[in-house]
């Protein structure tokens, strides 16, 4: 609030920062769930939920593979980026088949459009995302090309 | 055709609001009441004849939420029951399914299905705008449901070997229909070069344009059809779900139908279509025209494939060879679709399709009329193929 508009705004829609905090392991460590009964792997996490395959309720934390292969790429040129993500437009967004069979959506960084062919090998990296509603920077996974 | 064993529910009437970029001078209640009255008038019914209602809306654009009682009040239906459903673009389909069941069960004889999309109700902050399907792992990491659509299109192109030529051919046909539809919003005649442009303008031209829409369908029992001498238009509808996180559209282990799927294929729609077609006692080859949810052309192609109208992977070829045109195997999006008619989210993305099929089956579609139209399909998805609705509207007895 600035000096001109000191009143408290009663309804300013924003995400509660707890919503970011609750998913810190998923976002920092690419942590999902593994079903103790049937061994199925899940991302996003399903602890406290059930296993969609066997309907068992016992799931344990599972750290997904950090290596994978690009399936498809979108060069985002839609014209209106999400708040906090517009400064690096056009962004490269893709689906990635991780080596353990899980598939994630991620932004690709440190790569040029032409390098991101389907089948290219990528690795998880931890990057700065956007500011949370508190003003703190939110960090989380992105993927970069394996160049070695 | 096999003999029908399911109860029968008929579409008595349908109406949609006229095209307008802005209806800011109206409240959403006034906007929806206009469509409701237009549909009731057309069927020769009064709101007093209606026993049950349902309204589809998008909680991203209407702050009130819980709209059932407000809608009932707006159209003078208090104290009758009124359901409200928020399920993105297929909400109208779910409302139709709910009202269908009330009538099929014999509990009520006439029901009203309302849909409202009016994005000028409040100035939403980004967080309430183009939200994701699985918020913590898409929207909050920078991906909206529009990215889902784009990735699904890329998946389709990659898997079946298509380029933007196929999208341009689809969009071109949509504009052809739209220019012949007074209700269409974006009446353009873009050149092939403009349609193929590899920039934001080209992308926008090949994909949906947003619009305000209020829609209304009136569903009735056979008794009402006979009493009121209404056209015998049989309506069937079903829907299915799919995991909301796009990563789980690949090889999802939770159900056998999804085990070998990827974002280019539509197992959820296939299941919904199987149920709808079985109820309606028709096969995919009986379907003469279709209205599908083409926020991008490739999603429209996937919809035709998911309903079994054309083989999986053939949609691009189908569009390029004129299959969606008036003389084609399955004239598609004869109202202009999301690309030309306009994309109205919860309010009309299902109901406006039913409205177009209604006009086509009554022979009132003017220059875009499909000759001797008897069986028409409509499909919509909510949240990028995490919810799929499929319907068949047909003239009973041919
Ligand atoms: Zn399990």
């Amino acid at each position: 609030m600035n000096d001109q508009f000191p009143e408290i705004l009663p309804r300013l829609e924003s995400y509660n920062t707890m919503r970011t905090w609750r998913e810190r392991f998923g976002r920092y460590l690419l942590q999902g769930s593994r079903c103790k009964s049937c061994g199925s792997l899940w991302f996003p996490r399903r602890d406290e939920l059930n296993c969609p395959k066997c309907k068992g309720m016992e799931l344990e934390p599972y750290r997904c593979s950090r290596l994978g292969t690009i399936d498809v790429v979108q060069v985002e040129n839609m014209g209106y980026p999400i708040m906090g993500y517009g400064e690096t437009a056009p962004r490269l967004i893709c689906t990635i088949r991780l080596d353990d069979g899980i598939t994630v959506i991620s932004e690709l960084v440190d790569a040029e459009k032409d390098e991101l062919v389907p089948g290219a090998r990528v690795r998880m990296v931890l990057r700065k995302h956007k500011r949370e509603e508190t003003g703190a920077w939110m960090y989380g996974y992105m993927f970069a090309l394996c160049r070695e | 055709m096999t003999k029908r064993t399911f109860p029968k529910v008929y579409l008595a009437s349908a109406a949609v609001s006229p095209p307008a970029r802005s209806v800011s001078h109206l409240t959403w209640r006034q906007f929806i009441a206009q469509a409701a009255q237009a549909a009731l008038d057309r069927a020769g019914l009064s709101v007093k004849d209606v026993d049950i209602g349902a309204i589809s809306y998008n909680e991203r654009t209407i702050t009130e939420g819980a709209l059932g009682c407000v809608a009932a009040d707006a159209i003078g239906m208090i104290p009758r029951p009124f359901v409200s459903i928020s399920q993105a673009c297929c909400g109208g389909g779910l409302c139709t399914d709910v009202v269908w069941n009330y009538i099929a069960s014999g509990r009520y004889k006439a029901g009203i299905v309302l849909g409202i999309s009016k994005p000028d109700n409040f100035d939403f902050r980004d967080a309430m705008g183009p939200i994701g399907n699985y918020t913590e792992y898409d929207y909050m990491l920078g991906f909206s449901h529009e990215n889902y659509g784009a990735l699904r299109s890329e998946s389709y192109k990659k898997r079946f070997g298509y380029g933007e030529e196929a999208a341009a051919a689809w969009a071109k046909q949509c504009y052809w229909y739209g220019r012949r539809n007074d209700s269409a919003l974006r009446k353009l005649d873009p050149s092939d070069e403009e349609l193929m442009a590899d920039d934001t303008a080209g992308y926008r031209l090949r994909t949906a344009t947003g619009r305000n829409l209020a829609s209304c369908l009136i569903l009735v029992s056979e008794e009402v059809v006979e009493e009121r001498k209404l056209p015998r238009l049989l309506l069937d509808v079903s829907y299915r779900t799919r995991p909301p996180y796009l990563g789980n559209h690949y090889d999802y282990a939770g159900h056998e139908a999804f085990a070998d799927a990827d974002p280019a294929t539509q197992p959820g729609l296939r299941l919904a279509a199987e149920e709808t077609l079985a109820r309606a006692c028709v096969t995919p080859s009986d379907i003469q025209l279709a209205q599908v949810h083409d926020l991008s052309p490739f999603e429209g192609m996937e919809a035709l494939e998911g309903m079994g109208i054309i083989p999986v992977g053939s949609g691009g070829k189908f569009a390029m060879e004129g299959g969606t045109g008036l003389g084609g195997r399955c004239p598609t999006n004869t109202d202009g679709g999301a690309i030309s008619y306009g994309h109205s989210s919860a309010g009309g993305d299902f109901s406006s399709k039913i409205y177009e099929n209604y006009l086509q089956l009554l022979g009132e579609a003017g220059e875009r009329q499909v000759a001797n139209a008897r069986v028409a399909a409509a499909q919509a998805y909510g949240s990028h193929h995490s919810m799929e609705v499929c319907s068949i509207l047909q003239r009973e007895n041919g």
Side-chain angles (χ1 to χ4, degrees):
Chain A
M1 287 313 102
N2 61 31
D3 294 342
Q4 273 183 301
F5 301 102
E7 304 88 352
I8 294 169
L9 291 172
R11 182 166 182 158
L12 237 183
E13 305 279 0
S14 65
Y15 289 116
N16 188 307
T17 196
M18 293 300 284
R19 198 165 184 183
T20 310
W21 175 80
R22 284 194 297 256
E23 301 307 320
R24 61 200 182 281
F25 297 115
R27 219 172 49 249
Y28 298 155
L29 302 170
L30 212 56
Q31 183 167 295
S33 300
R34 181 184 169 279
C35 176
K36 285 186 175 178
S37 308
C38 75
S40 301
L41 305 177
W42 300 99
F43 187 86
R45 69 190 174 102
R46 294 194 61 86
D47 45 314
E48 308 297 328
L49 306 177
N50 68 1
C51 166
K53 186 175 184 186
C54 73
K55 319 302 177 195
M57 288 300 294
E58 300 248 335
L59 290 106
E60 60 189 358
Y62 165 77
R63 295 205 183 160
C64 304
S65 172
R66 296 183 180 198
L67 290 170
T69 304
I70 291 177
D71 185 45
V72 290
V73 184
Q74 177 205 7
V75 180
E76 190 183 74
N77 59 353
M78 299 191 298
Y80 43 86
I82 288 175
M83 188 185 284
Y85 286 93
E87 285 147 37
T88 54
R91 297 157 66 217
L92 300 168
I93 294 171
C94 56
T95 55
I96 298 163
R97 311 297 306 265
L98 301 179
D99 287 352
D100 54 13
I102 283 170
T103 305
V104 296
I105 327 167
S106 177
E107 183 171 342
L108 259 291
V109 289
D110 301 341
E112 296 301 318
K113 176 187 168 184
D114 296 341
E115 297 178 294
L116 295 184
V117 292
R121 296 286 292 164
V122 290
R123 63 191 171 84
M124 189 203 115
V125 292
L126 192 63
R127 289 297 160 97
K128 190 187 266 185
H129 274 246
K130 63 171 181 180
R131 287 191 190 278
E132 291 180 48
E133 271 69 7
T134 57
W137 281 102
M138 185 182 86
Y139 288 77
Y141 61 81
M142 290 189 184
F143 279 74
L145 276 183
C146 296
R147 293 189 184 276
E148 27 319 320
Chain B
M1 287 195 191
T2 47
K3 187 165 161 46
R4 186 179 177 100
T5 52
F6 288 95
K8 292 176 176 177
V9 174
Y10 295 83
L11 180 70
S13 172
V16 294
S17 58
R21 280 280 177 199
S22 170
V23 283
S24 298
H25 61 295
L26 298 174
T27 68
W28 71 261
R29 299 172 188 81
Q30 294 170 320
F31 194 38
I32 198 73
Q34 289 179 356
Q37 197 56 52
L40 287 165
D41 288 348
R42 178 150 193 164
L45 295 168
S46 154
V47 73
K48 291 182 200 161
D49 301 317
V50 181
D51 310 305
I52 172 80
I55 183 167
S56 155
Y57 71 104
N58 195 332
E59 79 287 354
R60 296 168 202 166
T61 55
I62 293 186
T63 46
E64 287 96 321
L67 298 195
C69 50
V70 191
D73 174 67
I75 64 168
M77 266 185 67
I78 299 284
R80 297 191 189 90
F82 217 107
V83 180
S84 68
I85 290 178
S86 174
Q87 188 60 49
C89 308
C90 70
L94 273 59
C95 283
T96 304
D97 191 67
V98 167
V99 171
W100 191 99
N101 279 295
Y102 273 116
I103 295 170
S105 71
R107 184 169 171 187
Y108 298 120
K109 289 179 189 164
I112 193 164
V113 176
L114 302 178
I116 175 79
S117 177
K118 192 171 180 299
D120 57 2
N121 275 289
F122 69 108
D123 298 320
F124 46 65
R125 281 196 71 205
D126 184 69
M128 294 293 287
I131 215 162
N133 288 3
Y134 203 101
T135 306
E136 291 96 334
Y137 287 93
D138 50 42
Y139 184 79
M140 292 172 76
L141 298 184
F143 320 116
S144 73
H145 64 288
E146 288 218 7
N147 295 113
Y148 274 51
L151 287 166
R152 290 193 43 252
S153 293
E154 293 302 326
S155 180
Y156 185 88
K157 286 158 68 180
K158 178 195 159 197
R159 177 154 174 183
F160 302 117
Y162 292 114
E164 294 300 335
E165 297 85 355
W170 176 285
K172 196 178 180 73
Q173 182 59 51
C174 288
Y175 287 117
W176 187 93
Y177 286 125
R179 291 196 302 276
R180 286 156 180 80
N181 183 359
D182 290 341
S183 294
L185 184 67
R186 189 162 63 161
K187 289 164 172 275
L188 299 177
D189 190 5
S191 67
D192 292 347
E193 195 182 5
E194 288 169 319
L195 278 168
M196 286 292 296
D198 184 25
D199 57 14
T200 301
Y203 172 81
R204 281 284 153 215
L205 211 48
R206 292 188 300 272
T207 53
T209 189
R211 71 179 282 171
N212 294 286
L213 199 89
S215 63
C216 178
L217 308 177
I218 310 282
L219 274 55
V220 296
S221 67
E222 187 164 22
E223 192 184 325
V224 174
V225 166
E226 282 168 3
E227 242 173 56
R228 305 275 176 159
K229 303 201 168 19
L230 293 165
R232 298 184 73 92
L233 300 177
L234 258 180
L235 180 66
D236 286 286
V237 60
S238 312
Y239 67 94
R240 289 290 187 277
T241 52
R242 191 176 190 182
Y245 181 65
L246 186 69
N248 288 323
H249 283 212
Y250 290 85
D251 307 334
Y252 180 69
H255 190 279
E256 64 217 10
F258 298 164
D260 300 317
D262 66 18
T265 53
Q266 300 313 322
L269 176 57
R270 183 166 52 75
L271 295 174
E274 280 169 8
E275 183 182 340
T276 307
L277 269 60
R279 278 188 187 181
C281 299
V282 299
T283 64
S285 62
D286 295 322
I287 297 171
Q288 295 166 292
L289 69 151
Q291 317 299 329
V292 298
H293 200 51
D294 60 341
L295 300 196
S296 86
F298 298 108
E299 293 173 288
M301 296 167 199
E302 290 172 20
L304 289 178
E305 296 168 13
M307 291 190 287
I309 297 171
I310 56 173
V312 172
S314 71
K317 189 166 173 282
F318 188 70
M320 289 188 282
E321 290 175 351
T324 62
L326 260 196
R329 150 71 188 95
C330 184
T332 301
N333 288 2
T334 53
D335 63 356
I339 294 166
S340 177
Y341 177 86
H343 160 45
S344 55
S345 189
D349 275 349
F350 179 79
S351 302
S352 66
K353 292 169 171 59
I354 298 290
Y355 176 68
E356 173 67 7
N357 284 343
Y358 171 74
L359 294 181
Q360 289 280 356
L361 265 54
L362 293 180
E364 295 180 13
E367 280 184 70
R368 56 184 203 287
Q369 179 67 46
V370 176
N372 192 29
R374 290 174 294 101
V375 181
Q379 167 269 354
Y381 67 71
S383 296
H384 284 282
H385 290 279
S386 295
M387 189 78 102
E388 291 274 7
V389 59
C390 170
S391 82
I392 294 289
L393 185 66
Q394 58 181 316
R395 293 188 70 94
E396 198 177 21
N397 311 322

